Amino acid sequence: MEMKNCTVVTEFILLGIPETVGLEKVLFVLFLSLYICTLSGNVLILMAIISSSRLHTPMYFFLGNLSIFDMGFSSATSPKMLFYLSGQTPVISFKGCVTQLFFYHFLGCTECLLYTVMAYDRFVAICHPLRYRIIMNHRVCSILATGTWMSGCVHATILTSLTFQLPYCDANQVDYYFCDIPAVLPLACADTSLAQRVSFTNVGLLSLLCLFLILISYTRIGISISRIRSSEGRQRAFSTCSAHLTAILCAYGPIIIIYLQPTPSPLLGSMVQMLNNLVTPMLNPLIYSLRNKDVKFALKKVLCKVGPIVENG
């Protein structure tokens, strides 16, 4: 049997965002601005929730978790992308690629589950207001939050293990701007069918299940709101859910659009990923603060405390 000489891959070369050659400097400035806004906005939301006793409720507890995940999710891919857009080497080590893929799917899955938990929280608040504090007690909130973390970790571990247990030899050019399963798997020098099936099924089923549970929650919420007699009561109930609904549309909307395309272009796929990685995490602090008096009040207090510190510094 003829033996074939293969060089084991120790690093990958990220080829970047498709169809954007020559736009590196413009994209660097744009994405750096978005990344800074994402981090600063979510830090402010987190500080407001921690510092204000009025925001120590289940709804804001989960919003604080969402801010942490938004910062982590955008940080999983953005720093390396900004590094090579600034003219530095596009090379990423094998371990770095494994780490990037793991955290991207870990945080993505966790955030998806967190949106579902937040929908359940709104369902209990609207449909069972008198029992809300009993149902959504500290223990239940802690279990739900921990469950999202653990489920995301298990999900990412399965996908990462299946992807990188395969041998990689010779080819090491990742035709994308970060290490994701569809971009890395074609480089394996072995049968990838199992990894492809499991990853597609895992990601697809998780997204559909979460979306289905969210739809059930908001269907029940819609029925409960329609039964409220006063227009003021309906408006107040709807306003507590509008921010979460907007965030869900920002998160799921681009994904639905891209999957409805028969033959999506690489550029369109990259733009959708950018929306999920940078734009949606940046918008979440705005979505949850613009129409929320409690959050706006807490943010003003935080900014009043931060202002003098910055001036003295």
Side-chain angles (χ1 to χ4, degrees):
M1 188 174 178
E2 186 180 351
M3 296 294 289
K4 183 180 178 181
N5 292 326
C6 293
T7 305
V8 177
V9 171
T10 58
E11 60 186 24
F12 292 99
I13 300 171
L14 299 172
L15 297 183
I17 304 166
E19 302 175 33
T20 57
V21 178
L23 299 174
E24 287 82 5
K25 290 183 179 179
V26 175
L27 293 176
F28 174 77
V29 173
L30 173 63
F31 294 146
L32 179 62
S33 302
L34 291 174
Y35 185 52
I36 291 171
C37 290
T38 297
L39 294 182
S40 56
N42 282 288
V43 165
L44 284 173
I45 287 288
L46 201 56
M47 289 173 64
I49 292 170
I50 293 171
S51 63
S52 175
S53 58
R54 295 170 67 180
L55 301 184
H56 293 176
T57 63
M59 175 181 169
Y60 297 109
F61 170 72
F62 294 124
L63 179 57
N65 273 266
L66 182 63
S67 291
I68 294 170
F69 290 125
D70 278 339
M71 289 187 286
F73 191 55
S74 58
S75 297
T77 58
S78 298
K80 184 61 183 177
M81 177 184 66
L82 292 169
F83 187 71
Y84 66 69
L85 282 175
S86 66
Q88 305 300 315
T89 177
V91 172
I92 184 170
S93 67
F94 189 90
K95 289 182 179 179
C97 191
V98 173
T99 303
Q100 192 177 62
L101 190 146
F102 173 82
F103 278 101
Y104 179 76
H105 284 278
F106 164 54
L107 293 166
C109 170
T110 305
E111 196 160 28
C112 188
L113 292 169
L114 189 60
Y115 278 126
T116 310
V117 169
M118 292 172 78
Y120 174 71
D121 172 68
R122 293 300 81 208
F123 160 72
V124 176
I126 301 297
C127 300
H128 304 285
L130 299 179
R131 298 173 55 208
Y132 177 65
R133 291 284 184 179
I134 299 171
I135 296 172
M136 300 300 292
N137 56 55
H138 289 296
R139 183 170 174 272
V140 170
C141 290
S142 299
I143 290 171
L144 289 172
T146 305
T148 60
W149 281 80
M150 296 301 295
S151 299
C153 186
V154 171
H155 170 81
T157 300
I158 292 170
L159 296 186
T160 307
S161 300
L162 281 171
T163 302
F164 289 102
Q165 73 177 1
L166 297 167
Y168 288 85
C169 42
D170 296 330
N172 70 337
Q173 293 188 334
V174 178
D175 193 17
Y176 211 43
Y177 66 95
F178 72 98
C179 289
D180 197 10
I181 294 171
V184 173
L185 271 184
L187 304 178
C189 47
D191 181 23
T192 62
S193 57
L194 176 63
Q196 285 177 333
R197 284 197 302 270
V198 173
S199 61
F200 182 80
T201 305
N202 255 23
V203 174
L205 283 179
L206 175 72
S207 302
L208 287 173
L209 178 62
C210 289
L211 187 58
F212 178 68
L213 292 173
I214 289 169
L215 288 174
I216 289 176
S217 294
Y218 275 100
T219 300
R220 295 288 302 276
I221 288 170
I223 294 169
S224 295
I225 290 176
S226 66
R227 290 174 179 169
I228 298 174
R229 294 182 179 180
S230 68
S231 59
E232 185 182 346
R234 284 197 299 269
Q235 187 176 358
R236 194 186 309 116
F238 180 75
S239 66
T240 63
C241 303
S242 58
H244 186 234
L245 274 171
T246 307
I248 289 169
L249 287 174
C250 289
Y252 279 96
I255 298 172
I256 293 169
I257 291 170
I258 192 67
Y259 278 104
L260 287 176
Q261 300 285 327
T263 53
S265 69
L267 179 60
L268 181 60
S270 298
M271 291 302 103
V272 169
Q273 289 280 22
M274 289 296 175
L275 282 172
N276 285 334
N277 294 2
L278 277 174
V279 179
T280 301
M282 181 195 70
L283 290 177
N284 276 343
L286 294 173
I287 291 168
Y288 283 101
S289 62
L290 287 177
R291 296 184 61 186
N292 192 305
K293 293 179 181 178
D294 290 336
V295 174
K296 284 194 283 189
F297 180 76
L299 279 173
K300 285 179 183 177
K301 288 179 66 177
V302 169
L303 291 172
C304 288
K305 290 179 181 178
V306 171
I309 295 172
V310 173
E311 289 176 5
N312 293 332

Coordinates of all heavy atoms in Angstrom, one line a residue, residues 201-237:
T201 N -26.9 19.2 12.7 CA -28.0 18.8 13.5 C -28.1 19.5 14.8 O -29.1 20.0 15.2 CB -28.0 17.3 13.7 OG1 -28.0 16.6 12.4 CG2 -29.3 16.9 14.4
N202 N -26.9 19.6 15.5 CA -26.8 20.2 16.8 C -27.2 21.7 16.7 O -28.1 22.1 17.5 CB -25.4 20.1 17.4 CG -25.3 19.0 18.5 OD1 -26.1 18.2 18.5 ND2 -24.3 19.1 19.3
V203 N -26.6 22.4 15.9 CA -26.8 23.9 15.7 C -28.2 24.1 15.3 O -28.9 25.0 15.8 CB -25.8 24.5 14.8 CG1 -26.1 26.0 14.6 CG2 -24.4 24.4 15.3
G204 N -28.7 23.4 14.3 CA -30.0 23.5 13.7 C -31.1 23.2 14.7 O -32.1 24.0 14.9
L205 N -31.0 22.1 15.4 CA -32.0 21.7 16.4 C -32.1 22.7 17.6 O -33.1 23.0 18.1 CB -31.8 20.3 16.9 CG -32.2 19.1 15.9 CD1 -31.8 17.8 16.5 CD2 -33.7 19.2 15.6
L206 N -30.9 23.1 18.0 CA -30.8 24.0 19.2 C -31.5 25.3 18.8 O -32.3 25.8 19.6 CB -29.4 24.3 19.5 CG -29.1 25.3 20.7 CD1 -29.6 24.7 22.0 CD2 -27.7 25.8 20.7
S207 N -31.2 25.9 17.7 CA -31.8 27.1 17.3 C -33.3 27.0 17.1 O -34.1 27.9 17.6 CB -31.2 27.6 15.9 OG -29.8 27.8 16.1
L208 N -33.7 25.9 16.4 CA -35.2 25.8 16.2 C -35.9 25.5 17.5 O -37.0 26.0 17.7 CB -35.4 24.6 15.3 CG -35.1 24.8 13.8 CD1 -35.2 23.5 13.0 CD2 -36.0 25.9 13.2
L209 N -35.3 24.7 18.4 CA -36.0 24.5 19.7 C -36.1 25.7 20.5 O -37.2 26.0 21.1 CB -35.1 23.4 20.5 CG -35.6 23.1 21.9 CD1 -37.0 22.5 21.9 CD2 -34.7 22.2 22.6
C210 N -35.0 26.5 20.6 CA -35.1 27.8 21.3 C -36.1 28.7 20.7 O -36.9 29.4 21.5 CB -33.7 28.5 21.4 SG -32.5 27.6 22.4
L211 N -36.1 28.9 19.4 CA -37.1 29.7 18.7 C -38.5 29.3 19.0 O -39.4 30.1 19.2 CB -36.8 29.8 17.2 CG -37.6 30.8 16.4 CD1 -37.4 32.2 16.9 CD2 -37.2 30.7 14.9
F212 N -38.7 27.9 19.0 CA -40.1 27.4 19.2 C -40.5 27.7 20.6 O -41.7 28.1 20.8 CB -40.0 25.9 19.0 CG -41.3 25.1 19.3 CD1 -42.4 25.3 18.4 CD2 -41.4 24.3 20.3 CE1 -43.6 24.7 18.7 CE2 -42.6 23.6 20.6 CZ -43.7 23.8 19.8
L213 N -39.7 27.5 21.6 CA -40.0 27.8 23.0 C -40.3 29.3 23.2 O -41.2 29.7 23.9 CB -38.9 27.4 23.9 CG -38.7 25.8 24.0 CD1 -37.5 25.5 24.9 CD2 -40.0 25.2 24.6
I214 N -39.5 30.2 22.5 CA -39.8 31.6 22.6 C -41.1 32.0 22.0 O -41.9 32.8 22.6 CB -38.6 32.4 21.9 CG1 -37.3 32.3 22.7 CG2 -39.0 33.8 21.7 CD1 -36.1 32.7 21.9
L215 N -41.4 31.3 20.9 CA -42.7 31.6 20.2 C -43.9 31.2 21.1 O -44.9 31.8 21.2 CB -42.8 30.9 18.9 CG -41.9 31.5 17.7 CD1 -42.0 30.6 16.5 CD2 -42.4 32.9 17.4
I216 N -43.7 30.0 21.8 CA -44.8 29.5 22.7 C -45.0 30.5 23.8 O -46.1 30.9 24.2 CB -44.4 28.1 23.2 CG1 -44.6 27.1 22.2 CG2 -45.4 27.8 24.4 CD1 -44.1 25.7 22.6
S217 N -43.9 31.0 24.4 CA -43.9 32.0 25.5 C -44.7 33.2 25.1 O -45.6 33.7 25.8 CB -42.5 32.3 26.0 OG -41.9 31.2 26.6
Y218 N -44.3 33.8 23.9 CA -44.9 35.0 23.5 C -46.3 34.9 22.9 O -47.1 35.8 23.0 CB -44.0 35.7 22.5 CG -42.9 36.5 23.2 CD1 -41.6 36.1 23.4 CD2 -43.3 37.8 23.8 CE1 -40.7 36.8 24.1 CE2 -42.3 38.5 24.5 CZ -41.0 38.0 24.6 OH -40.1 38.7 25.4
T219 N -46.7 33.7 22.5 CA -48.1 33.4 22.1 C -48.9 33.5 23.4 O -50.0 34.1 23.4 CB -48.2 32.0 21.5 OG1 -47.4 32.0 20.3 CG2 -49.7 31.8 21.1
R220 N -48.4 32.8 24.5 CA -49.2 32.9 25.7 C -49.2 34.3 26.3 O -50.2 34.7 26.8 CB -48.5 31.9 26.7 CG -48.6 30.5 26.4 CD -50.0 29.9 26.5 NE -50.5 30.1 27.9 CZ -50.2 29.2 28.9 NH1 -49.4 28.1 28.7 NH2 -50.7 29.4 30.1
I221 N -48.1 35.0 26.1 CA -48.0 36.4 26.6 C -49.0 37.3 25.8 O -49.8 38.1 26.4 CB -46.6 37.0 26.5 CG1 -45.7 36.3 27.5 CG2 -46.6 38.5 26.6 CD1 -44.2 36.6 27.3
G222 N -49.1 37.1 24.5 CA -50.0 37.8 23.7 C -51.5 37.6 24.1 O -52.3 38.6 24.1
I223 N -51.8 36.4 24.4 CA -53.2 36.0 24.8 C -53.5 36.7 26.1 O -54.6 37.3 26.3 CB -53.3 34.5 24.9 CG1 -53.2 33.8 23.5 CG2 -54.7 34.2 25.6 CD1 -53.1 32.3 23.6
S224 N -52.5 36.7 27.0 CA -52.8 37.3 28.4 C -52.9 38.8 28.2 O -53.8 39.4 28.9 CB -51.6 37.0 29.3 OG -51.6 35.6 29.6
I225 N -52.1 39.5 27.4 CA -52.2 40.9 27.2 C -53.5 41.3 26.6 O -54.1 42.3 26.9 CB -51.0 41.4 26.3 CG1 -49.7 41.3 27.1 CG2 -51.2 42.9 25.9 CD1 -48.4 41.7 26.3
S226 N -54.0 40.5 25.6 CA -55.3 40.8 25.0 C -56.5 40.8 26.0 O -57.5 41.4 25.7 CB -55.5 39.8 23.8 OG -55.7 38.5 24.3
R227 N -56.3 40.1 27.1 CA -57.4 39.9 28.1 C -57.3 41.1 29.1 O -58.3 41.2 29.9 CB -57.2 38.6 28.8 CG -57.6 37.4 27.9 CD -57.3 36.1 28.6 NE -57.7 34.9 27.8 CZ -57.3 33.7 28.1 NH1 -56.7 33.4 29.2 NH2 -57.7 32.7 27.3
I228 N -56.3 41.9 29.1 CA -56.2 43.0 30.0 C -57.2 44.1 29.5 O -57.1 44.5 28.3 CB -54.7 43.6 30.1 CG1 -53.8 42.5 30.6 CG2 -54.7 44.8 30.9 CD1 -52.3 42.9 30.6
R229 N -58.0 44.6 30.4 CA -59.1 45.5 29.9 C -58.6 46.9 29.7 O -59.0 47.5 28.7 CB -60.2 45.5 31.0 CG -60.9 44.2 31.1 CD -62.0 44.2 32.1 NE -62.7 42.9 32.2 CZ -63.8 42.7 33.0 NH1 -64.2 43.7 33.8 NH2 -64.3 41.5 33.0
S230 N -57.8 47.4 30.6 CA -57.3 48.8 30.4 C -56.2 48.9 29.4 O -55.3 48.1 29.3 CB -56.8 49.4 31.8 OG -55.6 48.7 32.1
S231 N -56.3 50.0 28.6 CA -55.2 50.2 27.6 C -53.9 50.5 28.2 O -52.8 50.1 27.7 CB -55.7 51.3 26.6 OG -55.9 52.5 27.4
E232 N -53.9 51.2 29.4 CA -52.7 51.5 30.1 C -52.0 50.2 30.5 O -50.8 50.1 30.5 CB -53.0 52.4 31.3 CG -51.7 52.9 32.0 CD -52.1 53.7 33.2 OE1 -53.3 54.2 33.3 OE2 -51.2 53.9 34.0
G233 N -52.8 49.3 31.0 CA -52.3 48.0 31.5 C -51.7 47.2 30.4 O -50.6 46.6 30.5
R234 N -52.4 47.2 29.2 CA -51.8 46.5 28.0 C -50.5 47.1 27.6 O -49.6 46.4 27.2 CB -52.9 46.5 26.9 CG -54.0 45.6 27.1 CD -54.8 45.4 25.8 NE -55.3 46.6 25.3 CZ -56.6 47.0 25.6 NH1 -57.3 46.4 26.4 NH2 -57.0 48.2 25.0
Q235 N -50.5 48.4 27.6 CA -49.3 49.1 27.1 C -48.1 48.8 28.0 O -47.0 48.6 27.6 CB -49.5 50.6 27.0 CG -48.4 51.4 26.4 CD -48.7 52.9 26.3 OE1 -49.8 53.3 26.6 NE2 -47.8 53.7 25.8
R236 N -48.4 48.8 29.4 CA -47.3 48.6 30.3 C -46.8 47.1 30.2 O -45.6 46.9 30.2 CB -47.8 48.8 31.8 CG -46.7 48.8 32.8 CD -47.2 48.9 34.2 NE -48.2 49.9 34.4 CZ -49.5 49.7 34.7 NH1 -49.9 48.5 34.9 NH2 -50.3 50.7 34.9
A237 N -47.7 46.2 30.0 CA -47.3 44.8 29.8 C -46.5 44.6 28.5 O -45.5 43.9 28.5 CB -48.5 43.9 29.8

